[in-house]
Amino acid sequence: MGIPGLTSFVHSTRNLWTTIDLHDTKLLIDGKALLFYLYENSDLDCRCGGQYNEFYRTVVAFFVALKSRRVDCYVVFDGTIDPSGKKLKTIKKRVKESLKTANKLSISADNRLFLIPLLSAHVFKQALRDESIPFAICDSEADAEIASLAAAGDCAVLSYDSDFLIFDVKGGYIPLSFLRWKSGPLKAKIYYRSKLASHFRIRPELLPLLASLAGNDYVSGNALADFHSALSRVQTNTRATSKREAKFAKIASFLRELPSSCSQEEALKSTLELITSQRSRNTLQHVIELSLQEYKMKETNLLHYFEKGLIHSSLQTLHGKQEIEEWVLPHFRAGKISIDSMNTLTSGRNFLRFQVENFEEISSNCCSLDLRRFVYGILSKAGTVDGIRKITTVEESDRQGLQVIEFNVEPDIGDSVLSWSLVPFLELEERYSVLLFALDTDASDVSSLPESAILIASSVRYLINHSKPAVNMNHLKALLCCWVLLKNSSSKSKSGERRPTKSSSMFCLHAAHSFCQWQCVVRDAIMLNYTLLEPVPSPHIHEVFCGTLAKNLHGELQKGRSVEKLLLSPSSDVQSYHMLYSAVTKDLSHKIRTPKHTRGKKTKKKPSSSHTKHPTTSAGAKP
């Protein structure tokens, strides 16, 4: 949820921390927090589309360091959007913030800005699988699940979320920035909430109420306005040294004056009595009760999953209120069913992510719209009751120009779209045919390729068929060269040598937009592949694409260098490139734009399309 100001206050209060050597123990890890932390703090580019190869190596190095000290790690990720909608306001706010960040990065390389690249989570989970690190996807938000698991296993939590300063985690909480893992013994600073309670001289049981009264995702400043106004009139004994500390100290002082036997519920009642307006009191009571519910330790769905592989879930379909089919849940827990797919089933929503692209063009998410409609159709046919479809539209959140807009998308329910309920009973060949059909690819187009290359090659073909504007030949060549260089283990030094600084002047917005469209296609192709129980292996993204490398290769191609010179290579690399090129362009060459060399020439500025209609404004309309 996040409590503004609490992290910086606690981090700066030295007597709340204990330095430990981390070894021979279990550790519960907040997957999303670690994913963001490792990418953002490893000097990796987030402007050109993802330095996935180096990110993969960073993740592996992190877990190798922990394993070397016999630390058994268990990683937990957020799952679906809460179908009640109680966090929608926060989610929408973050979506808008990410769009602003993406736009700023498209204009200038500002190292202070951060936007996680689109396929980073796929790379992160692949590293976990390769290192045999147990991980699981929650039913919904992970914080309470992680805290409950840590309590059940009596172990510490590693995260970067101020909520863990409040949860009753007896094993302690280690912020990611307080763990030294890159060299020498593993040193960490650990926090126990009993120390914060002692600091404020209140009982630990009242910390969730203190946090809620300070404000979080559920309890807004507006809801708290009357409370803080009333609190300012109450004489409290505080010794705060800063404005930041004063807010918490004043609330703590008020709670401290309550009877020592006062329960959290009674303390909330006393708090509400400070407010004269019945309407304000009712509003505050509602949001605080929601907030306190989030801090409660609960029976975890994941304990028996990690111990015995047993699956327990409370997920239900949106309208039918049916249980999710049993065969789906093990795949979902293991990260082999897309969270976007499960959001479609449970809440009928899909919040699409933004990248650093050309904001004068339609959203790069539009390129793979038909692919998502195909997946929605499969899920829609599974969500039927008495033959009536319950998922008639999916609400997608995407951009139109620089505005976040919600669009209703009709699932594809054509004869070629099967029901998800039938998928486990289909032969591999049948599922493979459905996958290729949706990707506009014939089996003969990719018959010359190894199985591991089929999904990516088909995704490139889909890009050529659906890209707007059409794919430029040099964009395509850069993409394929990047794939060949990364796949060949002997090219690691080459890709590393090509990494530019974040402020490189070679950034080309048009090429970036092409690469963004392709990543959207790959994301949705993987979603479809998972939905069909992987008729082909899902790709290892770090062996396929690196944004900085692709950008540099495109720059060299624009200067007139040939593919053969870029590959610097053994003949096998050149052969691999031509085999891929032949497969992805078969019968599609006419759809690829020939690059125009415009150096020194003035080009007409394209008019802004910030008011261009998104293809999904009319439900289900095709781009």
Side-chain angles (χ1 to χ4, degrees), residues 255-291:
L255 296 175
R256 193 163 55 243
E257 298 301 318
L258 299 175
S260 58
S261 60
C262 188
S263 68
Q264 186 167 255
E265 289 72 21
E266 290 168 330
L268 173 56
K269 185 178 178 181
S270 297
T271 300
L272 295 171
E273 287 172 356
L274 293 177
I275 302 171
T276 55
S277 164
Q278 186 64 44
R279 184 176 178 182
S280 296
R281 189 185 303 170
N282 291 343
T283 299
L284 185 59
Q285 181 176 0
H286 174 67
V287 294
I288 285 186
E289 285 175 349
L290 284 176
S291 175

Side-chain angles (χ1 to χ4, degrees), residues 84-100:
S84 71
K86 61 185 180 181
K87 292 213 71 172
L88 273 181
K89 188 175 180 181
T90 300
I91 294 170
K92 290 179 179 181
K93 179 184 174 185
R94 289 172 183 165
V95 167
K96 288 179 181 178
E97 289 169 352
S98 71
L99 178 57
K100 287 179 183 177

Side-chain angles (χ1 to χ4, degrees), residues 301-499:
N301 281 327
L302 297 183
L303 181 60
H304 295 306
Y305 177 75
F306 280 125
E307 289 181 344
K308 303 173 186 176
L310 300 178
I311 306 290
H312 300 281
S313 172
S314 57
L315 289 174
Q316 293 182 321
T317 57
L318 174 62
H319 296 296
K321 294 302 179 189
Q322 300 166 299
E323 299 295 323
I324 300 296
E325 294 190 54
E326 233 175 80
W327 65 268
V328 172
L329 295 172
H331 296 281
F332 175 64
R333 280 277 182 268
K336 289 287 187 175
I337 293 290
S338 166
I339 291 171
D340 290 344
S341 294
M342 292 300 278
N343 277 335
T344 301
L345 274 180
T346 59
S347 66
R349 292 187 174 96
N350 188 4
F351 286 91
L352 299 172
R353 296 251 314 279
F354 302 121
Q355 303 176 79
V356 183
E357 59 187 57
N358 187 347
F359 289 92
E360 291 189 346
E361 301 288 356
I362 61 172
S363 168
S364 58
N365 287 307
C366 295
C367 183
S368 53
L369 171 61
D370 280 352
L371 205 49
R372 291 195 300 281
R373 290 186 62 234
F374 195 92
V375 176
Y376 298 157
I378 293 174
L379 302 177
S380 168
K381 289 187 175 182
T384 58
V385 177
D386 298 328
I388 301 171
R389 283 191 307 122
K390 294 298 182 180
I391 304 173
T392 54
T393 61
V394 177
E395 185 183 273
E396 286 194 346
S397 178
D398 197 3
R399 72 170 183 85
Q400 186 170 292
L402 293 174
Q403 299 296 316
V404 177
I405 307 290
E406 291 163 358
F407 304 94
N408 288 325
V409 178
E410 283 186 9
D412 183 343
I413 54 171
D415 293 339
S416 56
V417 180
L418 56 121
S419 168
W420 208 17
S421 304
L422 299 176
V423 168
F425 305 103
L426 295 179
E427 296 294 333
L428 176 65
E429 282 301 317
E430 293 176 279
R431 289 182 279 122
Y432 178 65
S433 295
V434 172
L435 176 74
L436 292 189
F437 174 83
L439 286 166
D440 297 336
T441 297
D442 189 84
S444 62
D445 299 329
V446 291
S447 60
S448 62
L449 301 179
E451 191 182 38
S452 61
I454 288 174
L455 193 69
I456 294 296
S458 301
S459 298
V460 177
R461 289 184 61 83
Y462 188 96
L463 174 73
I464 295 170
N465 266 316
H466 293 263
S467 176
K468 288 190 177 181
V471 171
N472 179 293
M473 181 62 79
N474 279 348
H475 300 168
L476 176 63
K477 287 180 177 180
L479 194 58
L480 296 181
C481 284
C482 184
W483 185 4
V484 170
L485 285 169
L486 291 174
K487 188 65 179 171
N488 188 327
S489 59
S490 67
S491 68
K492 286 182 181 178
S493 60
K494 298 177 199 174
S495 59
E497 289 297 321
R498 294 179 190 277
R499 179 162 71 96

